[in-house]
Amino acid sequence: GAPIFERETYSDNDYAGVITGLAWTQVGGEILFIESSLNKGKGRLTLSGQLGDVMKESATTALSWLKANADKYGIDHRIFENYDLHIHVPAGAVPKDGPSAGITMLSSMVSIFTQRKVKAKLAMTGEITLRGKVLPVGGIKEKLLAAKRAGIKEIIFSERNQRDVKDIPEKYTDGLKLHFVKDAKEVLEIALLTKKVEDPIKFDLPKK
Amino acid sequence: GAPIFERETYSDNDYAGVITGLAWTQVGGEILFIESSLNKGKGRLTLSGQLGDVMKESATTALSWLKANADKYGIDHRIFENYDLHIHVPAGAVPKDGPSAGITMLSSMVSIFTQRKVKAKLAMTGEITLRGKVLPVGGIKEKLLAAKRAGIKEIIFSERNQRDVKDIPEKYTDGLKLHFVKDAKEVLEIALLTKKVEDPIKFDLPKK
Amino acid sequence: GAPIFERETYSDNDYAGVITGLAWTQVGGEILFIESSLNKGKGRLTLSGQLGDVMKESATTALSWLKANADKYGIDHRIFENYDLHIHVPAGAVPKDGPSAGITMLSSMVSIFTQRKVKAKLAMTGEITLRGKVLPVGGIKEKLLAAKRAGIKEIIFSERNQRDVKDIPEKYTDGLKLHFVKDAKEVLEIALLTKKVEDPIKFDLPKK
Amino acid sequence: GAPIFERETYSDNDYAGVITGLAWTQVGGEILFIESSLNKGKGRLTLSGQLGDVMKESATTALSWLKANADKYGIDHRIFENYDLHIHVPAGAVPKDGPSAGITMLSSMVSIFTQRKVKAKLAMTGEITLRGKVLPVGGIKEKLLAAKRAGIKEIIFSERNQRDVKDIPEKYTDGLKLHFVKDAKEVLEIALLTKKVEDPIKFDLPKK
Amino acid sequence: GAPIFERETYSDNDYAGVITGLAWTQVGGEILFIESSLNKGKGRLTLSGQLGDVMKESATTALSWLKANADKYGIDHRIFENYDLHIHVPAGAVPKDGPSAGITMLSSMVSIFTQRKVKAKLAMTGEITLRGKVLPVGGIKEKLLAAKRAGIKEIIFSERNQRDVKDIPEKYTDGLKLHFVKDAKEVLEIALLTKKVEDPIKFDLPKK
Amino acid sequence: GAPIFERETYSDNDYAGVITGLAWTQVGGEILFIESSLNKGKGRLTLSGQLGDVMKESATTALSWLKANADKYGIDHRIFENYDLHIHVPAGAVPKDGPSAGITMLSSMVSIFTQRKVKAKLAMTGEITLRGKVLPVGGIKEKLLAAKRAGIKEIIFSERNQRDVKDIPEKYTDGLKLHFVKDAKEVLEIALLTKKVEDPIKFDLPKK
Ligand SMILES: [Ca+2]
Ligand SMILES: [Ca+2]
Ligand SMILES: [Ca+2]
Ligand SMILES: [Ca+2]
Ligand SMILES: [Ca+2]
Ligand SMILES: [Ca+2]
Ligand SMILES: [Ca+2]
Ligand SMILES: [Ca+2]
Ligand SMILES: [Ca+2]
Ligand SMILES: [Ca+2]
Ligand SMILES: [Ca+2]
Ligand SMILES: [Ca+2]
């Protein structure tokens, strides 16, 4: 049969750039992890994990938004041209697509570029646009179920998904803190801690 | 079924480079947003939002026209080679194609390159050619309906679409100010305000 | 149904690089416009307007001929490496192919590189080879009809299309001045005026 | 019929970068060899042996992890940009795919970059993620059989494959030392000896 | 129906780089012209005229042979890196493939690089290898017929096509001078005159 | 029908880089020639002769092995980055694939890089791996027949093909000297003479 996600559980927030997303497949909801890595290079972007073209475009859209708003997050612009960014979504053999990982990929990028820790037990799902709007996505009920099952305690949605959540019986959301946001800035305020990860990257940049 | 546009409403004109276009799909007319972003780079053009090749060619045609007419809009030529331009059309999973977003993409580019604000509650639809002619497009009635529904107050069309508008009952155009234009210059005079957006980009350019 | 050309009429010769061609489609003959644009860059060639690979090869063949004969037309060789050439054929959604726009694209290139005006009310159709020979093309009768209808007064053909014209009733060619040529040099002598367009490009070239 | 692996036996650990992997095909388990080579160049990665795109993504994921953790293994960062890495998986005509060679490719890379010898008679199978987690893979029983038959004495698995091993009759694992690991660091501690290979590469690097 | 060659006749030998080849199509033999052009550039090779991949590989093979033997023909090696070579085969809409134009493309290249005139009324057909061997090709009888019809007086074949010619009634070869050659050197001795074309290119080369 | 090899006979060993291989097709065995050429350039590899992707990967594997072992063969490393290597396999229209030309391509490369002559009347067949192992290939009986018919006197096989030869009636191998080898080093010891070809390339290299 078609490859599906093996059931994952939330692990921890030790690593920069690891964010929990929510996927919606034919067999239900599932959590997935977006991982990011930054290495000295020439500003290349590598995407892996059998991502479809819509998901790849989400990543480039998130990256362009981040470049345009780098100052607000204290990111030195020279990093973009002197480091290579790799985003990977395990499991590596499972095809993934769609725009709903947009804010997850953005949060992962901001975490790896700033080396800030990610809030524990948080998941998110939402499309990102180039001006930073967060658009609604589908499969809300299935994603809520999957998040609970995996040990998630907080979820970020688009404010335009609020109507979808209202239609769902309360037991699905019991014990979950739900955030409904309008834009990227709100996502990052919720998702990223001020504290940096252990042994943060010391960026090696050319003289200005 | 085939992916369709979720119904959007006009939001605001706070951002440079965000222009409202009009799309014509199998299920009727719809508004869409063209978003642009400029980041330090090497003059690359990135297009996202599942754009078909006709729509991508529209973008390169609009950009070539803009480069050839940059002086008239006070755009420093060094920006073209020292910044990367990204154009995105949400929703990211909806395939889009056709030449009718030509003038919308052009207006978006001029706004982002000049940081000038866009006129509020304005939408537009029309093909652009390399010499700046505005060619007529289809789906006029459906587009008028969609624009009204979304709160649009003014629309720009090709003058060669005037005959199509005449065939449409007056109630479709009541309360809408319609502009019929011949060329790109007229589009930009209508669409762009003199005022710049808040916190405009301060372009960082190499010495001449 | 398949996309076809919307009926165009000849407009004017105000712009450098705009040449009228003649196309032959399943529903008859039609005029089309070849547009060219030159912008500071690195010698790249961009082709748009849904051109097929035969038509794209025609463009590269015409460009190679022009480079090899640039001196004869007073074109500074540094322009080829320091400017980007864009050739577009509206309407942008109509697929176009075949070698018959070869001399039209060549004339468009010479006009944009020299900024010389194009003869008014002139159309042309013919394949170009790398050594500048003009080869015959098909659809002569349909093209004559389309040219007349659009207000064209003169047409350039390959001398090897002379036999095809002879077989056509005289009423098709009444009021049209027909040129039958052997090579690119003759085409350009007919098509380009000595006079430059208004506000010609002032080429900005690196020191030799 | 479809190409299959010719039965291989473990040879020796004389070469840097040669690691034994375990494959699972339609006709059972099989061992395969991951080979690596480093030559002066520009940081290019070449993959050969008819690898599918999932397997290629595994290689880039492993390489990004290694770059991010190079310091811990005493690898000079300048090697990544001044040498070309080639990874080959014989037999060259047999199509191979899937993520299960992830830790095998990683071990091969670390061996070739450090020139450290590989532990003798060791095989491994497991997916690698960008943060270095080792994910479980399929075909455990078949892989155990193949390893024994080929003369392997130790195998590395993901700790999440422990449950699969428990379900297998003991005779399959008799005489095999099994390692169940959580992350890349553990894999490398088991797989790589401190001792370098004979005639190790003397890296020729540009001045810092 | 499938596109076929319009019947061509031999014209003249005024241009450098124009060589007459012999093609074999489903409807019989035909002559074709290989044209070459050299323009200042960066050593790029452009091939046009709807050439198939076998024919394109013939061109690269011929070019590699020429580079390796440039000294023997007095060609300055700096031309290869400082000029772009374009090879075109009219008619531009007719698909062409196969290795039999190998020696024709080689002769065209040598003529354009040396600016030497080509022998009048000469045609040729034969595969070229990297070490300069001339291999036999098919359709000999049809090619002989086509050559005669087009006004050709001399033809070059591989010596391994001698047996094919022997089987053909004498009337096919009457009035034709046939050359049977082993290698590229012999082809070029026959095909190229010592005399240069009028107005030869004056190569503009960087200082050594 | 499908294209097949025209029957070839062994010619001579006058050229560097020409090695005789053995192919196995649906209609039996055949000899083929691997040709190599080295020209000043930028380290590019060109492969021609309608080679399939497995055969292309064989070439890159052989080249990586050679780069890693260049010192042992007295090859100056600067040649790899300052010359372009072209490998061609005539006949140019015959599709070829598979890994069995691995050692043939390697021997061709070493001959062209060292300008050493190749042993006369020698053929070979075997897959090469990145660490230089020679793997067995199929079609042994057919290849023996083809080699004899073409005038070959010595053949190199993988030692793992020894069992296949044992099963073949002695008349097939009468008069042939067979070599069974384990690795690339042994192949090259047999295949390459110490003597250089006439007029060897004088490599023109940048200062160290
Ligand atoms: Ca998993
Ligand atoms: Ca898609
Ligand atoms: Ca929407
Ligand atoms: Ca299309
Ligand atoms: Ca039109
Ligand atoms: Ca085509
Ligand atoms: Ca094997
Ligand atoms: Ca795949
Ligand atoms: Ca013709
Ligand atoms: Ca082919
Ligand atoms: Ca042959
Ligand atoms: Ca294949």
Side-chain angles (χ1 to χ4, degrees), chain E residues 1-40:
Chain E
I4 55 165
F5 286 98
E6 189 185 343
R7 203 143 284 179
E8 294 284 351
T9 52
Y10 176 78
S11 49
D12 60 52
N13 65 342
D14 290 348
Y15 293 90
V18 180
I19 309 272
T20 308
L22 297 171
W24 179 31
T25 72
Q26 282 171 317
V27 297
E30 192 49 79
I31 68 166
L32 53 75
F33 301 112
I34 307 284
E35 302 177 328
S36 285
S37 162
L38 265 181
N39 290 304
K40 286 195 73 169

Side-chain angles (χ1 to χ4, degrees), chain B residues 100-170:
Chain B
S100 79
I103 59 172
T104 325
M105 291 197 287
L106 176 65
S107 300
S108 174
M109 288 176 194
V110 178
S111 171
I112 198 79
F113 275 102
T114 61
Q115 295 289 301
R116 287 164 64 183
K117 289 194 79 155
V118 175
K119 192 174 209 178
K121 297 186 177 173
L122 170 77
M124 63 187 70
T125 185
E127 177 174 346
I128 184 90
T129 87
L130 202 48
R131 70 187 127 149
K133 285 190 71 168
V134 179
L135 300 182
V137 297
I140 297 302
K141 192 164 89 176
E142 292 81 359
K143 287 175 173 177
L144 283 167
L145 264 169
K148 278 188 104 164
R149 194 177 56 217
I152 293 300
K153 298 296 177 203
E154 294 183 51
I155 308 181
I156 304 176
F157 291 110
S158 165
E159 61 158 16
R160 281 163 62 183
N161 274 127
Q162 212 152 358
R163 60 188 176 193
D164 303 297
V165 173
K166 278 190 192 131
D167 298 343
I168 294 172
E170 212 180 310

Side-chain angles (χ1 to χ4, degrees), chain C residues 52-54 97, chain E residues 50:
Chain C
D53 49 2
V54 172
D97 207 354
Chain E
Q50 293 297 100

Side-chain angles (χ1 to χ4, degrees), chain E residues 75-91:
Chain E
I75 300 169
D76 188 320
H77 247 284
R78 293 168 299 170
I79 302 178
F80 294 119
E81 288 300 317
N82 290 285
Y83 276 75
D84 293 335
L85 174 63
H86 185 158
I87 295 179
H88 178 69
V89 191

Side-chain angles (χ1 to χ4, degrees), chain A:
Chain A
I4 56 164
F5 287 97
E6 189 185 342
R7 203 143 283 179
E8 295 284 350
T9 52
Y10 176 78
S11 48
D12 60 52
N13 66 341
D14 290 347
Y15 294 90
V18 181
I19 309 272
T20 307
L22 297 172
W24 179 32
T25 72
Q26 281 170 318
V27 297
E30 193 49 79
I31 68 166
L32 53 74
F33 301 113
I34 307 285
E35 303 177 328
S36 285
S37 162
L38 265 181
N39 290 304
K40 286 197 72 170
K42 299 176 178 166
R44 284 167 292 225
L45 172 64
T46 300
L47 300 166
S48 61
Q50 293 297 99
L51 311 187
D53 49 3
V54 172
M55 197 161 176
K56 283 177 179 167
E57 289 189 346
S58 280
T60 60
T61 300
L63 184 56
S64 288
W65 184 88
L66 181 56
K67 285 181 176 177
N69 292 275
D71 290 349
K72 290 166 196 150
Y73 296 93
I75 300 168
D76 189 321
H77 247 286
R78 293 168 299 170
I79 302 178
F80 294 118
E81 288 300 318
N82 290 284
Y83 276 76
D84 293 335
L85 174 63
H86 185 158
I87 295 179
H88 178 70
V89 190
V94 180
K96 304 157 197 96
D97 207 353
S100 80
I103 59 172
T104 324
M105 292 197 286
L106 175 65
S107 301
S108 174
M109 288 175 194
V110 179
S111 170
I112 198 79
F113 275 101
T114 61
Q115 295 288 302
R116 287 164 63 184
K117 289 194 79 155
V118 175
K119 191 173 208 179
K121 297 186 177 172
L122 170 76
M124 64 186 71
T125 185
E127 177 174 346
I128 184 91
T129 87
L130 201 49
R131 70 187 128 151
K133 284 190 72 169
V134 179
L135 300 182
V137 297
I140 298 302
K141 191 165 90 178
E142 292 81 359
K143 287 175 174 177
L144 283 167
L145 264 170
K148 278 188 102 163
R149 195 177 56 217
I152 294 299
K153 298 297 177 201
E154 294 183 52
I155 309 180
I156 304 175
F157 291 110
S158 165
E159 62 158 15
R160 281 164 61 183
N161 274 128
Q162 211 152 358
R163 60 188 176 193
D164 303 296
V165 173
K166 278 191 192 131
D167 298 345
I168 294 172
E170 211 179 311
K171 61 171 179 176
Y172 286 95
T173 54
D174 265 3
L176 283 174
K177 184 171 179 187
L178 304 184
H179 304 266
F180 296 98
V181 303
K182 269 183 161 164
D183 59 37
K185 193 171 157 248
E186 292 174 74
V187 174
L188 297 172
E189 273 165 14
I190 297 163
L192 295 182
L193 307 183
T194 317
K195 201 181 165 189
K196 296 208 170 180
V197 292
E198 251 183 78
D199 266 325
I201 300 177
K202 283 162 201 78
F203 292 108
D204 179 17
L205 296 170
K207 293 268 155 56
K208 273 191 202 187

Side-chain angles (χ1 to χ4, degrees), chain E residues 53-54 57 60-61 64 67-68 81 99 127-131 133 135-136 160 163, chain F residues 6 8 11 15 18 33 35-37 39 44 48-50 86 88 90-93:
Chain E
D53 49 3
V54 172
E57 289 189 347
T60 60
T61 300
S64 287
K67 285 182 176 176
E81 288 300 317
E127 178 174 346
I128 185 89
T129 87
L130 201 48
R131 70 188 128 151
K133 284 190 71 169
L135 300 182
R160 281 163 62 183
R163 61 189 176 191
Chain F
E6 188 185 343
E8 295 283 352
S11 49
Y15 293 91
V18 181
F33 301 113
E35 302 177 328
S36 284
S37 162
N39 290 305
R44 284 167 292 224
S48 60
Q50 293 296 99
H86 186 158
H88 178 70

